Amino acid sequence: MAAALAGDDLARTLSSRLSLGSTSLREAWNAPSTVFNQSGRESNNDEEELKWVAIERLPTFDRLKKGMIKQVLDNGKVVHGEVDVTKLGMQEKKVLMESILKAVEEDNENFLKSFRQRIDRVGIEIPKIEVRYEQLSVEGDVYVGSRALPSLPNVALNTVESALGLLRFVPSKKRKIQILNGVSGIVKPSRMTLLLGPPGAGKTMLLLALAGKLDRDLRASGKITYCGHELNEFVPQRTCAYISQHDLHYGEMTVRETLDFSGRCLGVGTRYQLLAELSRREKEAGIKPDPEIDAFMKAISVAGLETSLVTDCVLKILGLDICADIIVGDMMRRGISGGQKKRLTTGYVIFSHIQQLGEMLVGPAKVLLMDEISTGLDSSTTFQICKYMKQLVHIMDVTMIISLLQPAPETYDLFDDIILLSEGQIVYQGPRENVLEFFEYMGFKCPERKGVADFLQEVTSEKDQEQYWFRKNQPYRFVSVSDFVQGFGSFHIGQQLASDLGVPYDKSRVHPAALVTEKYGISNWELFKACFAREWLLMKRNSFVYIFKTTQITIMSIIAFTVFFRTEMPVGTLLGGGKFFGALFFSLVNVMFNGMAELAMTVFRLPVFFKQRDHLFFPAWAFGLPIWVLRIPLSFLESAIWIILTYYTIGFAPAASRFFRQFLAFFGIHQMALSLFRFIASVGRVDVVASTLGTFTLLLVFVLGGFIVAKNDIEPWMIWGYYVSPMMYGQNAIVMNEFLDKRWDIPNKDPNVDAPTIGKVLLKSRGFFTDEYWYWVCVGALFAFSVLFNILFIGALTYLNPFGDSKSIVVEENGEKKKKNKNLASKQHGIEGIQMTSEIVGVAETKRGMVLPFKPLSLSFNHVNYYVDMPAEMKNQGVVEDRLQLLRDVSGAFRPGILTALVGVSGAGKTTLMDVLAGRKTGGYIEGTINISGYPKKQETFARVSGYCEQNDIHSPNVTVYESVIYSAWLRLSSDIDKKTRMVC
């Protein structure tokens, strides 16, 4: 009861932040029966009414846990039964989702309207955000031409020039490029805006600037405001959501797990308190809400759940429910299709907004900036997603900009406003209905059967513009982008935009919950638990790596005790001590190298981490701390395996205390190595850099570790390196543990060595410590290094950003040189073309069209079936089959000279079919026949007569386009073609 009263008090406190039409609401409260009739869901079932009345009589704390959903009785009768929303089972969730989203296409809008109507009935105002940008310019410095290539001389020269440039000794050789040039505009709520423009126009840069995510190397000027507030006055990463065109997800996680993690990080916020306020007002006004909507809102307001009902809603809306329990996949794992992966990326946005529906949209991400969401999607799926977004914008007053390259006409018609960007300048911004009017005002007209989006992208192009000139009584002249910008300033839409920008935004109209000022959605402890659960899941999915590491150290320990067997290890002599030195050093190297796999695994996870960190899902420490904690048991296990298998078989000091001391030392060494390689990975950030740094660091640590080069042989000016080498402390700890044992207390008879025993003679010969207390100092130093490297790891994750893409432009040739090169290339191509086609002149005389120097082949496939092993996640959901069928009895034929289009919705199996036909599938089970011109396909020879262009762009990042094409041609052309001909091709 105390909790209920606290909830009521908190709800009343929150009510002061919500805007109410007080007069109309008092009237509604004074006439409850009239308001009740507005519910639109009045039940005639007396029993159902009694259940609802019973729920309404409960205290607030208990009432918000009870809901009513449809239940089918044994006699087939459908009734609304009472359920506890905190304990919904799979079947109850399915029933609830079916009741509110049975047919997604039709029920989406009704679903959103039900939320909005429930909010409006009690007079709660939904926050809106207006985004303004005035005279926004973005510029950067780049190297041009061959100087921009990432060659070793260029990198060295660029580094030297940058250092000298900081000291003002030499001028920079970089060229300034203008990415955005003084653009201004207003993006209003409740209107869906389409951002159009040719590649390189600056669309991504504009979205990044509005989201406050510009690269630090870029220089930006101008002003960006949200409801009159500049970006430094709130948290833009949580007020707006920027969705990149790149799909970055953990391939080991399923679609459902990916969305569930997003939901845990977003949290429930003030959803519970706001739902309590809404419920209180409805109770006072006598309003009965829709039972399903009420149950849904209560279910998504429960904090601390690992899986949310919002996940099921997003999966249903995006059509991902068929692959909900399949891993996302990556380059090394088979997973969902490219289109489904793109829908999952878009699902982050929808997830965020459905989360907010439970908060009456008083929450984060009221501005959506979506960059090229149609990449990899079919036009139908793109239309469905944009249609849902339109409903979200219009019903929930969201502010949205979507960038699309070539939207289909029906998708284009969904948008309210258009922003046309070209060469970094805004050509047009305003209502979609007036865009063609503007271009007719400028002298250009869109043909009747031409898509408007295609027309808009071509009309500013020099090579395509002339065909749209419709003022036949006037001679055509090229209208540049600057001319269009000037013309838009005199057009009535442009004048209205300038007038609106001239009136400052009234900050008094800003809803107090519109702009987010809190950095994260949940508490630090909840963030840690969410990241800990995900890291544990990723470890289980990557169990092969950890099993392999454990097996590896087991095999190496067996090799160690067979090489250094105790019968060959005499004790008490200087010669035997040398053998023990070797055994201890070999053990140290193996334990340290065993931690190097951490480097590659950390680098592999960083791209997704940077994406989620920048979206403020969690801070860097929440990502790094679970990795540190969860590696401790593995480190303990691997150290124990080494010690148990090698200690007594090699013949180290038999005392139990010495055994456990060596185990503690190796445990500290392993922990230090893991944290060291994690830190190197966070600094390197990419495979090449991290591997180079890791190898260099490892060699440096070994050399200064005290065994390869003794302390006495290190020059005085380098002795500091000896004391900062973490391996030195591990080496000292394990050798002191052995040689200070009483069995090495044999008196020293050599007067030239100042040491009383053989053990101390051996230690002093390599410059190791000889006092017993130094063992504990060294072990403490190992664990201190582990803590230090983990702190540095978290620090690097916090402050470092991923390496940016190479920014380079091509040097423009002058007109005469370009024409000369073009004529020369044409002449050479003509000569070589005659030589290449001389052998097939007979064919050329009998066939029309282009003549290609190869024999045409046909490809036919008959009753092709393709199966994969049933994913474990689907088996856990109750699927009993052992194999999942991806292709079902597919037959067809591809003939030479006939261009065939393979079409289908995303996830239909297009890529799978082409992979099977091309022989790219390395797993699974293939049935059926594939013939090449009537002969059974042999993969060895088929690879020589086929070419496969995949949907994923995989290229070497450090070569130019020309170099890549030449290299590809060299691999495919026959050996009798000389170098000159290859270069021309």
Side-chain angles (χ1 to χ4, degrees), residues 442-488:
M442 296 297 296
F444 300 93
K445 189 172 184 178
C446 178
E448 291 184 3
R449 298 182 64 84
K450 180 76 174 181
V452 180
D454 295 336
F455 163 76
L456 294 178
Q457 305 212 57
E458 294 175 2
V459 73
T460 58
S461 171
E462 184 175 0
K463 67 176 183 178
D464 298 319
Q465 187 184 92
E466 185 176 0
Q467 61 182 313
Y468 301 117
W469 181 258
F470 83 104
R471 294 177 181 173
K472 303 303 180 183
N473 58 338
Q474 299 179 15
Y476 165 77
R477 67 171 183 85
F478 173 66
V479 179
S480 66
V481 172
S482 299
D483 295 333
F484 278 118
V485 173
Q486 289 182 354
F488 181 66

Side-chain angles (χ1 to χ4, degrees), residues 255 259 314-325 336 339-341 343-345 347:
V255 174
L259 290 174
V314 173
L315 294 173
K316 186 83 172 177
I317 290 173
L318 293 179
L320 293 173
D321 47 346
I322 60 173
C323 61
D325 298 305
I336 60 178
Q340 290 168 336
K341 195 173 294 185
R343 277 185 273 169
L344 176 60
T345 303

Side-chain angles (χ1 to χ4, degrees), residues 138-153:
V138 178
E139 62 182 26
D141 297 325
V142 297
Y143 290 105
V144 298
S146 60
R147 185 63 188 278
L149 298 179
S151 61
L152 186 59

Side-chain angles (χ1 to χ4, degrees), residues 593-632:
F593 263 112
N594 193 254
M596 198 165 185
E598 196 75 7
L599 186 145
M601 295 183 64
T602 303
V603 169
F604 186 73
R605 294 184 184 180
L606 286 182
V608 180
F609 160 76
F610 284 125
K611 168 192 168 183
Q612 295 180 342
R613 181 201 67 178
D614 294 341
H615 282 78
L616 296 183
F617 275 42
F618 48 77
W621 65 263
F623 173 81
L625 201 56
I627 298 177
W628 180 7
V629 173
L630 285 171
R631 297 301 186 273
I632 292 176

Side-chain angles (χ1 to χ4, degrees), residues 617-665:
F617 275 42
F618 48 77
W621 65 263
F623 173 81
L625 201 56
I627 298 177
W628 180 7
V629 173
L630 285 171
R631 297 301 186 273
I632 292 176
L634 289 173
S635 182
F636 188 91
L637 174 64
E638 292 174 8
S639 303
I641 289 174
W642 183 271
I643 294 296
I644 291 171
L645 292 178
T646 62
Y647 193 84
Y648 288 109
T649 52
I650 292 177
F652 292 121
S657 60
R658 299 289 178 184
F659 172 87
F660 287 109
R661 281 187 177 189
Q662 190 178 106
F663 168 71
L664 182 62

